[in-house]
Amino acid sequence: MSTSPASHPGSPATTSPLRTLSPSARSLWAKSGDETGWLCLPQHMLDSAGVATRLWDRWVSSALQDSCARACGLSTRDAGTLISWLAGAHDIGKACRKFQNQLDSSPEYAAFAQRVREAGLDPQPSTLEESSPLPHSVASQVILDGWLATRGLNKRVARSLSAVAGCHHGVPPGSHLEKTASAVLDSYGESWRQVWDELLAFITEYTQAGPVLERLNRPVPVAGQMLATGLVIMSDWIASDAENFPMEVIPDQELRVEQGCAAVDLTAPWEPEPPDLSDLDAFLRHRFSWPEDASARPCQRVVAQACQEAEGPTLLILEAPTGEGKTEAALLAAEVLGSSGAPTGGVLLAAPTMSTSDSLFRRTREWAASSSEDLGEVLSMFLGHSRNALNEDYQRLRAAQVYDETADHHEDTDRGQVVASQWMSGRKKGVLSTVVVSTVDQVLFMALQAKHAMLRHLGLAGKVVVIDEVHAYDAYMNVYLARAIEWLAEYGTSVVLLSATLPVQIKRTLMEAYARGLHAQRPLGELSSAYPLVTALSRQGSRELEVPPRPADIDAAVSTIADDVATLVSRVLESTEKGGCVLVLCNTVARAQDAYTALRTEMGEDVRLLHARFVAGDRVSLEKELVAEMGPRAHHGSGRPARRVVVATQVAEQSLDIDVDLLITDIAPMDLILQRLGRLHRHARPEGTGQRGCATPDDPAGPGGSRPADRRCHAA
């Protein structure tokens, strides 16, 4: 640490933008720094404002710019100026005695308060100030509120702006804390008030925000405050990184900001061109690396039609059986809506569990690489759950970014470049990446009063948000989901909901939430019970498009068996006498363990157990093994075992992308039974194209055969 801050070579006296400031203003510190020096408050204000300007120009998508501008009632250019000003002014609360004197008790930092004294300011807190909590964020809100009032701004307008500074630590201050801060700051003398006015006038002139503040004739609504606060927090965090914005300050402020922002690995927003869907089959083959004989599923065709006809932000609901290509349909929808219906800056796919998120990650990364190639842009990607360190695909992506900047970051193709941004990673910043695959809680957090929720709103507001397996959420989660969807509609975000079985009442609740956020006036009519179905809702109203069922849809024979382990073992042994893959789904871990023990005794190494109580690393390894054996790329004679029995709990009904020949399940609600049926011949192809069916080696209907294999399901 520097013990002589005034001797720092980048001190205000040699930093050209600050030369016009008084010694009092230049004496205040914002960052205590390291052995290279310290950082004065006006310098940090300049850094934060400069970062905000570059974020607005280079990172914020046009859709997010429009959302901010619309919320503030300003032009896009004026909204960017306002954001830059807010970022520059957000730390004005550090110009208070309690902050400036907080290091005075440490001898190595005594020079900080001494410099303030020598400049003519008294840094000694009053008795009330010493005994009262006074976070500098709250001080910033109070100081800004008063300063804006002196410029003639309406009290409500001033309050809506100052609240952004008050929330820049992630939470809004309570009313009692505001009153305490006001009482403390009211006792300050004229010398301190002159410094406040000088610094705020300085940053206002630097950002050229004076005319914008005068044109702001209405309070910024909560949605605008959330986005503005998110951008201010982001700017502050970048500008506070001593590696990119060092304590040694160069005189050229523009160069300092340019170099600092260049060192942060932020990628440009994803703003695709409208795809050419005149030959939908060809487009999908290109985008998803399908074989030449593959063609679009009916649900994908209807989704493409609905999205092309959409105007503005849209809620799209796709109800279709499992294995119908809903994920590909959702990514297709994101590309169409994100380029025409409601331009966007990225995509977020949310799944109910970490395992389903992991299974989506590789497929989404392949799509992102293809999109990246067409755009000629690098896309950042993030896997959003607490155990992403166990996902090898994501960790390889991060390692490639760190250790080999010239390497192709996509493992399977060199068509495009996808990276895992080091800065946009972690629990709070990950959703700021361009393409995000996460658990659904990343979306539900929008409805919670969580710390730094503004960053989550900022990350989701500029994306098409896809929520998978909507039927899997209970009544409690659906309340938060509806509120989150309302927020997304408020920001003009398009949302895609995917479900195998969605009750009409839940569907109506979610549609009504989106309509409220859009401020749509047209009431919803009666909802169809047709299935499969695509429903689209926008400001123009709602419409429903029925999806023609495919001839190859599953035709499962369902029967019941006795509810005892002996019967289970007997049925499995009988069914796998000539081979085959079986999934036994139990409703509890204890039942799964009992069934596994009995089957393992009879069948040995052919039996696997999977449930949620496994150690995370072991569970990830086992899931990877099962997908390799029975997943979409496994064939008889090429990885797929002749006989395999998997005993699992509900983690397998959504999480595992596996293909089995026989399903034995505990009794369950019909929507879960249908979901579990999705594991039966999940990857079966149309006749003649390489059927993945029964794994019996000597059965001509097995893998590679040309006729459909039997689908069997037994309920215990």
Side-chain angles (χ1 to χ4, degrees):
M1 295 293 181
S2 172
T3 57
S4 181
S7 65
H8 164 44
S11 61
T14 61
T15 308
S16 55
L18 309 180
R19 288 176 179 170
T20 59
L21 292 175
S22 67
S24 297
R26 288 184 277 135
S27 69
L28 302 172
W29 66 276
K31 307 293 178 184
S32 57
D34 52 27
E35 65 278 356
T36 65
W38 59 284
L39 203 67
C40 70
L41 176 56
Q43 180 61 56
H44 179 59
M45 295 171 73
L46 289 174
D47 291 344
S48 299
V51 171
T53 298
R54 278 156 181 78
L55 287 178
W56 185 263
D57 292 340
R58 303 176 187 178
W59 180 80
V60 176
S61 66
S62 58
L64 193 52
Q65 288 179 347
D66 291 342
S67 185
C68 289
R70 186 172 58 252
C72 298
L74 297 171
S75 68
T76 300
R77 181 172 180 174
D78 284 353
T81 300
L82 181 64
I83 297 296
S84 180
W85 178 82
L86 285 168
H90 81 278
D91 261 348
I92 187 63
K94 289 185 175 180
C96 72
R97 294 185 295 230
K98 191 161 189 175
F99 184 90
Q100 294 297 315
N101 195 61
Q102 64 180 306
L103 302 177
D104 201 34
S105 59
S106 302
E108 65 269 31
Y109 297 113
F112 283 85
Q114 182 59 32
R115 184 176 61 252
V116 176
R117 292 188 187 94
E118 292 173 354
L121 297 174
D122 178 14
Q124 184 59 43
S126 64
T127 303
L128 175 62
E129 195 168 357
E130 284 187 329
S131 61
S132 304
L134 185 60
H136 74 263
S137 57
V138 185
S140 292
Q141 177 170 327
V142 173
I143 293 171
L144 269 180
D145 210 22
W147 185 82
L148 289 169
T150 63
R151 291 183 62 94
L153 265 72
N154 176 278
K155 286 186 177 181
R156 294 178 62 223
V157 175
R159 171 73 179 187
S160 69
L161 295 178
S162 64
V164 173
C167 295
H168 82 263
H169 281 172
V171 291
S175 58
H176 176 72
L177 196 56
E178 286 185 57
K179 291 178 181 178
T180 302
S182 296
V184 169
L185 295 172
D186 283 345
S187 67
Y188 275 45
E190 187 61 27
S191 58
W192 281 99
R193 295 178 181 277
Q194 288 176 354
V195 169
W196 298 341
D197 184 72
E198 181 182 6
L199 289 174
L200 290 173
F202 168 73
I203 201 63
T204 302
E205 181 179 356
Y206 179 77
T207 58
Q208 300 181 355
V212 177
L213 293 174
E214 293 173 4
R215 287 195 289 271
L216 197 62
N217 56 15
R218 71 182 191 193
V220 178
V222 174
Q225 291 175 334
M226 294 291 282
L227 297 180
T229 305
L231 284 167
V232 167
I233 293 172
M234 196 174 172
S235 302
D236 183 28
W237 287 1
I238 292 175
S240 297
D241 187 340
E243 289 188 10
N244 301 327
F245 286 84
M247 302 299 137
E248 294 186 76
V249 181
I250 61 175
D252 190 337
Q253 176 62 22
E254 291 302 307
L255 180 60
R256 172 179 167 85
V257 173
E258 188 67 34
Q259 291 176 340
C261 290
V264 180
D265 52 343
L266 302 181
T267 53
W270 176 72
E271 296 183 323
E273 295 293 327
D276 180 8
L277 302 184
S278 57
D279 187 345
L280 182 60
D281 294 340
F283 176 79
L284 293 176
R285 285 195 292 266
H286 165 70
R287 183 61 80 234
F288 298 107
S289 301
W290 287 358
E292 286 301 316
D293 59 350
S295 60
R297 299 284 178 86
C299 72
Q300 293 160 354
R301 294 190 181 280
V302 175
V303 163
Q305 175 191 343
C307 292
Q308 287 180 303
E309 296 171 354
E311 297 181 26
T314 300
L315 172 68
L316 190 78
I317 303 175
L318 170 57
E319 301 168 79
T322 59
E324 285 295 288
K326 292 194 291 294
T327 299
E328 287 76 12
L331 291 171
L332 170 64
E335 200 157 349
V336 178
L337 293 174
S339 60
S340 54
T344 185
V347 181
L348 181 141
L349 288 89
T353 66
M354 288 184 285
S355 296
T356 43
S357 299
D358 286 337
S359 66
L360 277 176
F361 183 78
R362 174 180 284 270
R363 297 161 70 187
T364 305
R365 192 189 65 170
E366 293 171 352
W367 166 84
S370 175
S371 179
S372 168
E373 178 200 25
D374 291 350
L375 292 174
E377 297 279 358
V378 176
L379 301 181
S380 57
M381 194 165 181
F382 177 70
L383 177 59
H385 61 65
S386 60
R387 294 176 181 170
N388 58 18
L390 299 175
N391 185 289
E392 294 182 3
D393 291 329
Y394 179 60
Q395 291 308 310
R396 277 197 295 270
L397 204 62
R398 297 191 68 189
Q401 171 73 349
V402 173
Y403 299 114
D404 187 3
E405 295 182 357
T406 62
D408 188 298
H409 302 299
H410 183 60
E411 176 183 273
D412 301 319
T413 178
D414 58 1
R415 296 183 303 160
Q417 189 175 37
V418 181
V419 301
S421 166
Q422 297 303 304
W423 194 87
M424 290 186 295
S425 62
R427 185 168 54 91
K428 295 179 179 179
K429 296 184 294 185
V431 293
L432 300 172
S433 298
T434 311
V435 180
V436 179
V437 179
S438 72
T439 47
V440 73
D441 56 285
Q442 299 292 333
V443 178
L444 300 184
F445 264 119
M446 290 188 77
L448 298 175
Q449 294 184 15
K451 190 173 184 181
H452 292 112
M454 308 83 175
L455 284 175
R456 200 171 306 275
H457 282 244
L458 178 66
L460 271 66
K463 293 180 171 64
V464 174
V465 175
V466 178
I467 304 175
D468 198 8
E469 312 282 9
V470 178
H471 59 272
Y473 310 131
D474 57 26
Y476 180 79
M477 293 174 68
N478 280 327
V479 173
Y480 289 98
L481 180 59
R483 186 70 181 100
I485 287 175
E486 186 175 343
W487 270 112
L488 292 169
E490 183 75 35
Y491 293 130
T493 298
S494 290
V495 178
V496 180
L497 304 180
L498 306 177
S499 181
T501 54
L502 187 62
V504 172
Q505 187 53 48
I506 294 177
K507 178 179 174 181
R508 173 176 288 277
T509 298
L510 298 179
M511 292 177 68
E512 288 173 345
Y514 194 80
R516 284 195 302 273
L518 285 181
H519 306 287
Q521 302 300 319
R522 297 185 181 183
L524 295 178
E526 289 294 321
L527 298 181
S528 171
S529 58
Y531 186 85
L533 185 69
V534 172
T535 306
L537 170 65
S538 66
R539 291 191 181 95
Q540 288 70 43
S542 63
R543 59 193 301 258
E544 296 173 320
L545 294 86
E546 294 189 20
V547 178
R550 289 193 305 124
D553 281 353
I554 188 171
D555 182 12
V558 181
S559 61
T560 59
I561 60 175
D563 186 19
D564 62 85
V565 174
T567 302
L568 170 67
V569 172
S570 174
R571 183 56 58 91
V572 171
L573 288 173
E574 175 188 343
S575 301
T576 59
E577 183 178 354
K578 295 183 179 181
C581 295
V582 179
L583 175 61
V584 179
L585 270 172
C586 303
N587 289 341
T588 67
V589 173
R591 280 176 64 85
Q593 290 171 329
D594 290 344
Y596 169 77
T597 300
L599 287 166
R600 182 83 172 187
T601 301
E602 295 291 334
M603 304 179 68
E605 293 294 326
D606 289 338
V607 186
R608 299 286 187 272
L609 174 65
L610 177 66
H611 56 70
R613 294 185 191 172
F614 274 102
V615 174
D618 294 342
R619 177 177 164 184
V620 169
S621 298
L622 180 56
E623 288 177 344
K624 185 176 180 180
E625 175 190 338
L626 293 175
V627 171
E629 290 183 340
M630 296 181 288
R633 302 182 182 183
H635 304 266
H636 176 59
S638 178
R640 187 175 177 90
R643 185 171 74 165
R644 175 70 72 235
V645 177
V646 180
V647 182
T649 55
Q650 290 97 322
V651 297
E653 72 188 28
Q654 297 166 343
S655 304
L656 281 185
D657 189 13
I658 61 174
D659 184 325
V660 300
D661 309 303
L662 171 66
L663 170 68
I664 300 179
T665 173
D666 278 350
I667 201 72
M670 183 52 67
D671 59 334
L672 297 186
I673 293 291
L674 292 174
Q675 183 67 26
R676 295 173 183 186
L677 280 171
R679 308 308 107 180
L680 280 173
H681 291 257
R682 181 175 180 84
H683 304 117
R685 295 179 181 176
E687 184 173 334
T689 62
Q691 175 82 12
R692 291 190 185 99
C694 179
T696 306
D698 55 356
D699 185 351
S706 60
R707 67 180 177 84
D710 292 337
R711 278 85 162 167
R712 292 173 290 167
C713 174
H714 296 295

